[in-house]
Amino acid sequence: VGGTDATAESYTLTEQTFTVATHQIVAHQIEDFGEIMSKYEIRAELTQGAGYALARALDVACAALLDDNTSQTVGVLGSELTDDNMLRAWRYGADNSAKGEAKGVISPAGWEGLLKIDKFTSALYNGDTKGMALHAAQIGRVYDSTFYKSQLLVGTAPNASGHLWWGDHFFKIIKRTPAAHALYDPFATAWKVSWDQIYGVFEKQEANEGAALTTTARLWGVRMQHLK
């Protein structure tokens, strides 16, 4: 209305605190005698093993977050995912105006079940014309979502909890990438070597976009319970 000032509305954002507190270390002592007598370079072998151990630990920490969302869940523990499960998961994101690329992680057994659904393997559905619908750990895109498989999901066989999420609903903060530290001990005639990393993995809560709502919740993620 002409001559009428706009009325300001007070809006308070909900604070979320993320604390980086995970510090992991892998350490070895390599004696000179052992390396001299060995037919291969022990340090190189241990370096490769330490890198794998730290990377796997990070993956396990990430996977542990995938079982958190109890309000938005599809599927049944111990059973294969269905096309209806996938559609309902997609709808959760659409209902909450989820933004960003959609990504999902399921178990190898869950991946096997999805391979029985044409929409995941046929170029007729996924638009793949170069035979790349299936490669590496990735399954072809369906319902605008890219899925990956991992054996590290939470749950003891036959149960697994994976997840579908949008944008940066899950994210990590890395304060120190894997770094090596070495010290030679002349009394032990050995190298003492360690590798460490410092990081945190987190799940965000998004603002509820319903009318007159000012709450937050895990709205851009959907837990997918299925078969391991």
Side-chain angles (χ1 to χ4, degrees):
V1 179
T4 302
D5 291 345
T7 301
E9 181 178 353
S10 176
Y11 180 72
T12 303
L13 294 175
T14 301
E15 180 178 314
Q16 299 178 58
T17 301
F18 304 104
T19 303
V20 178
T22 302
H23 186 199
Q24 296 169 325
I25 303 173
V26 178
H28 300 287
Q29 178 168 300
I30 308 168
E31 296 182 352
D32 286 356
F33 180 80
E35 182 153 24
I36 290 171
M37 297 301 292
S38 174
K39 294 183 179 179
Y40 63 95
E41 188 177 355
I42 295 177
R43 276 176 290 183
E45 188 78 13
L46 293 179
T47 297
Q48 181 178 0
Y52 172 79
L54 292 175
R56 188 182 189 280
L58 175 56
D59 285 348
V60 169
C62 292
L65 296 178
L66 305 183
D67 192 35
D68 282 352
N69 197 332
T70 57
S71 61
Q72 296 189 164
T73 298
V74 300
V76 178
L77 289 174
S79 301
E80 292 180 347
L81 290 165
T82 67
D83 194 27
D84 284 343
N85 295 151
M86 304 303 301
L87 285 167
R88 184 64 184 97
W90 172 86
R91 200 182 105 200
Y92 272 124
D95 286 344
N96 292 307
S97 299
K99 300 174 180 62
E101 182 183 357
K103 300 171 286 292
V105 179
I106 58 176
S107 70
W111 179 74
E112 179 185 30
L114 289 180
L115 292 182
K116 301 173 185 177
I117 301 175
D118 282 347
K119 292 179 182 180
F120 283 84
T121 58
S122 173
L124 182 64
Y125 295 103
N126 59 40
D128 173 36
T129 59
K130 299 181 180 179
M132 292 295 291
L134 305 176
H135 58 92
Q138 180 180 324
I139 303 173
R141 293 177 59 83
V142 173
Y143 305 134
D144 293 326
S145 308
T146 302
F147 277 83
Y148 298 85
K149 57 181 173 64
S150 172
Q151 76 278 19
L152 301 178
L153 298 183
V154 172
T156 302
N159 300 329
S161 291
H163 220 91
L164 170 66
W165 71 93
W166 287 261
D168 58 354
H169 178 72
F170 292 108
F171 66 98
K172 64 179 181 287
I173 299 174
I174 297 179
K175 288 292 188 179
R176 173 182 287 170
T177 58
H181 316 278
L183 172 68
Y184 187 78
D185 185 342
F187 294 98
T189 60
W191 281 99
K192 296 180 178 180
V193 185
S194 69
W195 297 260
D196 75 326
Q197 61 184 3
I198 302 173
Y199 67 89
V201 292
F202 309 99
E203 181 177 14
K204 285 171 51 179
Q205 295 190 23
E206 290 79 29
N208 194 319
E209 296 195 4
L213 294 177
T214 59
T215 58
T216 61
R218 299 183 180 101
L219 300 175
W220 291 10
V222 182
R223 182 173 62 171
M224 310 190 79
Q225 295 187 322
H226 58 291
L227 178 68
K228 178 177 279 189

